[in-house]
Amino acid sequence: MELDVRTAPTTIPEYSLTGDVLSFARCGLQYRYHKIGNLPATRPVQLWFGQFLHGVLEESYRRFNDTGSVPCATVDVDEICDLVGRRLAATGLRARNQQLEQTAMHRAGVVLKDLAPHLFPLIRLAEVRLTATRALSGPGLPEHYQMAGIVDVITGVELRQDEMAANPLVAAIQQNLPVGVHGDFEVIVDYKGSRRPGILRSATGLDLRRVYEWQLLTYAELRGRQADSGPVAAGLLLYLNELAPTWDDLAHLRREIATGEADVQPEPGSADEAEVNRTRGAKGSWPSLSQEFRLQRAIKVVPVTPSTMNNAAKQFDGFARQIEESRKREAVTGSILASWVNYSTDDSTCVACDFKGTCPQPAGP
Amino acid sequence: MNVQVGLGEFHAAYAKTHYGLDGEKRSVIDAPGSESLHVVAGPGTGKTTALVARILKLLFVDAVPASGIVATTFTKKAASELRSRLIEVGFPLASELASMAGTEEKRKAILAVDVNQVWTGTTDSLCQELLTRHRLPGEEVPIAADEYVTEILMLTQGLFADGRHRSRSLADLLVLATGQSRLNVPNMRRLLSSIADRRRHDELDMPKYLRTGSSSEKRGRERLGQALQGYDSALQDRSLVDYAGVEHETLRRLQAGKLTDFTGSLQAVLVDEYQDTNLLQEDLYLTMAIESGASITVVGDDDQSLYRFRGATVELFTDFPARASQRLRTTPTTHYLKTNHRSSQEIVQFVNAFAENDVKYQSARSAGKPALLWRHGSKTGLPILGMFRDDVPTLANSLGDFLEDVFIKRGRLLPNGERIRKGKGGGLGDAALLSYSPRESNPAHLIPHLRNDLQARGLSLFNPRGYQVGEVRDVQLLAGLSLEALDPSGALASSVWQSAEVTQRFDAWRVASRAAMTTDPSLRRFVQKWRDRESRANWPTRTPFLELLYGLAQRLPGCLDDPERALYVEIFARQVNASEQVGSFRGQVLLNRAGASARGNPLGDGSVKELIRTVLIPIADNDVGLNEDLIDAFPAGRLPVLSIHQSKGLEFPLVIVDVGSRFRTNHRTQARLRFPRVGDEAHTMEDYFRRYSPMGPPSRSPVDRAFDDLIRQYFVAFSRARNVLLLVGLRTALPGGSIPNVALGWNRDGVDRWAGDLPFMEV
């Protein structure tokens, strides 16, 4: 008699847009070690920072929802920061040093003071979980995968209402709405605990501006399928570090201005330009930039149309396919290094990488 | 938009997109959505199919919104399979139903049903999600700590604090409560963790327990209470809870009406693998059903209950209708899935006979449970096979011959003239060896012999759980080199409390590491840099230990390239993570110039001692293991070796069960593996603690429960086989001999039922 051939139960892989797809897009090998292999980064500075600011905004919104006022008094901010810090510590994430913690707390305070009063009244839903099953084509790959993500905030306002015109977020959205859009729409908001990425000038490297746009557009696509969703007209990326940039951030901006990589620059001759060109202030001081300029740098509106949504989701399908192909290659070759080959070409990713000593193609110095 | 299709339409579409569902399954699927069900599903009877079809029927026929359905199961892997099946079956079904819809409105309504929104996962993940999602502003949500974190907290704050590991009264109490006599530190920690879980799982009245007890026990109970208090406080200080605590907290909030957002929309709760549930989980699910008015469907098989040692109580499944009716307004109806679609007729008959072999076992099974049926029209297979030899090397060699014949050569000719050969495109991964334990530490045992034998034939085993981590070369080097880098003289390690075994292991690791450094200058230079850190001007005051670990791993050739070897690096990283969460130095190596503690001890030395205590000693104690979630699918070309517990939920065309390769004599030390003389640790704990549980003491004696559990283990092992079941052992273990063995037909009354009439063909 002939034995049956064993078929393992099929499982549909699930990939989150941030934890999996964006990480893989940065560097496949780093993703393999950190995410699949469960080897944490030695200095997860960015991870802690991003989660801290997200946590502060989420907790503050819950309180705003409860009381109707933004908790931006120093005593409230300190208490919220302390609570969020403890929550993160319970998951194993801690600020690596006191300076980082102080920077984060300062930023949190500025975000609550300068951004939250404009944003919180617009919020319809917070922390919205989105999932969808999507096709994966490729020999030997699963037929489908599940795409998952959590939208920070969905706003729902009558975008062309005049009384909202003074709101800088609404104004920015209105200026960038796709042609022909009117009435009540949803806008998907994603917080980024980072600075605004510059325009990518090199042919290689990861264009973070594009990837973040794709992420928002994909959220819009997934959101559009939910039963309680209204039409999604735009996405809003909020680069929170821009609301309270450090002197190092300004140095970075100066370099980008010099190379033409900065898409939002201070007006020539303005006080903001002078401040950007100041090399460094007193120890412990923060650059003094106008709220208008900081908001301009922080806000990026992404118009949403069916074709841009469709294109973005396809880009992410491509990354998911590459992850599955890498997994399959590893199962066949038994080699991690030979299987996760979309190595980073970005110096900053590689400089901070814990595994550059083992990487066949480390970028940077 | 609500959708409602007729039951007839549903089944027509289901049959068209998949296959027709048989009558047994239809009785489960077609039951009204509001009805609560108790589904007793034998092995291979398609319980996942029934569960998935029931969920889809709730969605499309009963118009239950997807967000109103919660389906949980026992493991992350099983949950992932359930979700995958739901999607794979659900989407084509929805398309077919939409194509059959008479109106555009109905078509749109059907397509708007999003199967993705059904909540699937484990009980723990559901509870964590509920606590996080439905928290109030400012509310501190406890985070579920990983097991390795809770283990370290129990060790450091429960056991070591106030020198409780030296307490005679605590040790005496642990002996009394658990029946264990070998009380080294890892064992005491393990027992304390087990008690900490049990107080939640069995909903023990701990205040009553702690204030009562005989005078001889009283001091021990006090000590136990202090250990648990120390552990609980340590968790609380870190905003953590253990898994049992997450469930307990969720139940508390449900009972207090704090999760009404969730219960307000809940309409159906489905729980798989319910035979391994515990009282806390029963309470949780019934409370959900009561608070929401949702129906509850539990699915399981008492014959496959294997997790008593983790607090499972099989009677909660067998008695579910009666227990649930006391709290719900209705009595759940019982349905049986009895047609086995997996195995050949011979295997089904063998499994049935095995389950019925022991008369006293019958009263532990679900009342009225029918025997398994084989699928109508299933091909008649081969008889059960038995391979018994005089000694282990010969047995391994014969098994190697058999596997080589079947999978490499032209097949194996059996005494009855039949030939077994692999299927087209098949390989050694179509077979599996199930054993009491997959460990290979003792070279005299079957698995190491078989590994060598197969290797000589160019074949191999897949047994990632074969060794305790401390025995693995990469682990020895990573740990030994870390010790050499951080504490070259050994002065710091020797000042940390450790058992003699740990000291010996540390010494052996250092010897291996020094040898490795002599042959690899780059490794030596790297370690030397760390040794010289105090004198290097530019060395940072704090450096993550992970940096040392990754630096070493990158210098061991292939360590971060081979997926299996990378698993061992993860063990260290996991322990470092635990150290970060529980220690004072957060997984960092400090320099002594960073300062001194309040007692004047240099902080650098303190940080190294903490890493030795929280990272290296647990590894040396083998108190940590591989991360099961990271062990991927079995490679097709290698023979997987599994414990019977690990084989649960799996199936293989050829299953080899080791029923007696260790049984040369009727020795009492092996009795628990084949014919228990007393209850084991789990049974002793049940008897001791359940006096303080609403469940009350167990009705069956400890030794009867030990027999029941052993029968269930082999029932699971035998029912994994699709085509061929091969029993292997030493000839001395054969029926008709003097070694009683449940797996080979003995019942608990000492009757050797297979003697003279073997139910297998010897090969």
Side-chain angles (χ1 to χ4, degrees), chain A residues 1-6 9-12 32-33 36-43 58-59 62-63 66 83 86-87 89-92 94 96 127 129 131-133 146 327 330 334-337 354-358, chain B residues 80-81 83-84 87-88 91 116-117 129 133 135 137-140 143 238 240 382 407 419-424 429-430 544 546-547 550 554 560-561 563 570 580-581 586 588 627 630 634 651-653 722-724:
Chain A
M1 84 161 295
E2 210 166 81
L3 293 174
D4 292 343
V5 176
R6 180 168 190 261
T10 53
T11 52
I12 293 179
R32 167 62 179 82
Y33 287 131
I36 297 182
N38 212 20
L39 301 176
T42 53
R43 293 180 172 82
E58 194 208 342
E59 178 63 31
R62 279 178 190 264
R63 294 180 187 204
D66 205 33
L83 178 74
R86 278 205 309 277
R87 266 188 212 146
T91 65
R94 284 188 178 79
R96 285 287 150 176
E127 295 284 304
R129 187 177 297 271
T131 51
T133 302
Q146 276 214 303
R327 274 180 181 277
E330 181 181 308
S335 164
I336 294 172
L337 298 176
D354 291 316
F355 303 102
K356 54 180 175 279
T358 216
Chain B
S80 169
E81 281 174 27
R83 181 159 195 80
S84 298
I87 288 165
E88 281 171 350
F91 279 99
N116 290 297
Q117 305 308 319
E129 165 118 358
R133 192 156 272 268
R135 70 176 189 273
E139 194 171 34
E140 190 120 12
I143 306 282
R238 293 162 177 82
L240 295 171
L382 293 171
F407 291 102
R419 184 178 292 275
I420 309 175
R421 56 176 165 268
K422 69 171 180 178
K424 208 171 179 179
D430 293 335
L546 282 177
E547 212 167 276
Y550 295 159
Q554 288 179 75
L560 287 173
D561 187 31
E570 192 268 347
E580 282 179 22
Q581 293 204 47
R586 311 289 182 211
Q588 307 276 319
N627 185 341
L630 299 182
F634 308 114
E651 59 176 57
F652 296 86
R722 284 180 68 86
N723 309 131
V724 177

Side-chain angles (χ1 to χ4, degrees), chain B residues 481-547:
Chain B
L481 290 163
S482 298
L483 284 169
E484 286 292 296
L486 297 176
D487 180 29
S489 70
L492 298 176
S494 61
S495 68
V496 177
W497 189 92
Q498 62 202 259
S499 64
E501 288 94 335
V502 168
T503 307
Q504 281 172 10
R505 205 154 282 152
F506 277 5
D507 289 344
W509 288 351
R510 284 182 190 268
V511 169
S513 302
R514 285 174 192 153
M517 283 193 287
T518 55
T519 56
D520 184 339
S522 110
L523 199 55
R524 192 175 60 239
R525 279 196 300 274
F526 181 72
V527 170
Q528 192 60 45
K529 261 168 67 178
W530 274 83
R531 284 176 172 174
D532 297 341
R533 64 190 179 280
E534 291 285 356
S535 57
R536 285 175 173 260
N538 57 351
W539 194 275
T541 322
R542 303 167 161 263
T543 312
F545 173 74
L546 282 177
E547 212 167 276

